[in-house]
Amino acid sequence: MKNKSILILMASVLFMSGCKENSEGETTAEIEPFQYDDGDVVKRGYLDKSGNMWFATTREGVFKYDGKTFTNISTKDGLCSDMVDAIIEDDNGLMWFGT
């Protein structure tokens, strides 16, 4: 259930935007505000060379979005901590996470 909440949070922040016309007839983007609770927070985002989006969180490790699905990587998968502060990809395509 906790993972489902973070997925909804990330999807809302990334994809919930709308457009509207102003008085001059120009279209402008409008971002929907999101109310955070005491759950997890996305601290960083990273777009890798393959087009995957990575999200560093304060409590649940890293999430990878490949355009269709989210995959969670956490201490259960070998991270030293679920609080991730940095994401980077090296020249060989390996992802590095600062915990």
Side-chain angles (χ1 to χ4, degrees), residues 12 49-50 84 87:
S12 296
K49 295 173 189 172
S50 299
V84 180
I87 304 173

Side-chain angles (χ1 to χ4, degrees), residues 33-76:
F34 185 84
Q35 298 296 322
Y36 290 96
D37 59 10
D38 60 351
D40 204 358
V41 175
V42 174
K43 293 176 72 173
R44 302 269 187 272
Y46 186 88
L47 182 64
D48 70 17
K49 295 173 189 172
S50 299
N52 299 306
M53 292 187 291
W54 297 83
F55 304 96
T57 70
T58 58
R59 293 186 189 172
E60 294 186 62
V62 176
F63 285 85
K64 173 186 169 186
Y65 181 67
D66 64 6
K68 295 180 183 176
T69 59
F70 284 93
T71 304
N72 177 239
I73 301 169
S74 66
T75 53
K76 298 174 195 168

